[in-house]
């Protein structure tokens, strides 16, 4: 309940300031390549460093899982924002 309450507080206050804000699901964001959207393979290594880093077999992109997740969340936000803005523009025309 605390997460939901915090998210509602942030979204409401951002709206008062004129900032676009809405919740984005973080589910599965560290398992896709931010460059080519290919599925990233899991590491079979027991080492924490190997487990935390992912390398895309398609484009060769390598980064930390947390950075990949942040990038994918930002990409999801931008796509959703553009979709909402486009819908708003088309309704006004």
């Amino acid at each position: 309940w605390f997460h939901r309450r915090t998210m509602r507080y942030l979204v409401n206050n951002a709206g008062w300031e004129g900032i676009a804000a809405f919740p984005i699901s973080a589910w599965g964001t560290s398992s896709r390549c931010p460059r080519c959207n290919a599925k990233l393979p899991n590491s079979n290594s027991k080492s924490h460093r190997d487990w935390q880093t992912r390398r895309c077999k398609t484009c060769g992109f390598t980064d930390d899982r947390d950075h990949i997740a942040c990038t994918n969340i930002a990409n999801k936000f931008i796509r959703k924002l553009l979709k909402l803005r486009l819908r708003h523009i088309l309704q006004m025309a």
Side-chain angles (χ1 to χ4, degrees), residues 25-80:
S25 172
W27 180 260
T29 53
S30 65
S31 63
R32 291 271 176 197
C33 176
R35 282 193 187 157
C36 66
N37 203 30
K39 179 89 168 133
L40 294 172
N42 289 333
S43 175
N44 295 331
S45 176
K46 299 280 186 204
S47 168
H48 175 72
R49 177 171 288 165
D50 292 339
W51 177 79
Q52 192 64 19
T53 14
R54 293 287 189 257
R55 179 175 173 80
C56 180
K57 291 182 179 179
T58 307
C59 68
F61 179 77
T62 303
D63 204 355
D64 184 77
R65 284 181 62 195
D66 295 335
H67 296 161
I68 291 170
C70 289
T71 304
N72 286 336
I73 289 170
N75 289 340
K76 277 180 147 182
F77 177 81
I78 291 170
R79 279 193 303 266
K80 188 170 181 180

Side-chain angles (χ1 to χ4, degrees), residues 1-10:
W1 66 270
F2 182 73
H3 175 71
R4 236 177 316 171
R5 191 173 179 185
T6 304
M7 288 299 295
R8 189 169 46 241
Y9 173 79
L10 290 173

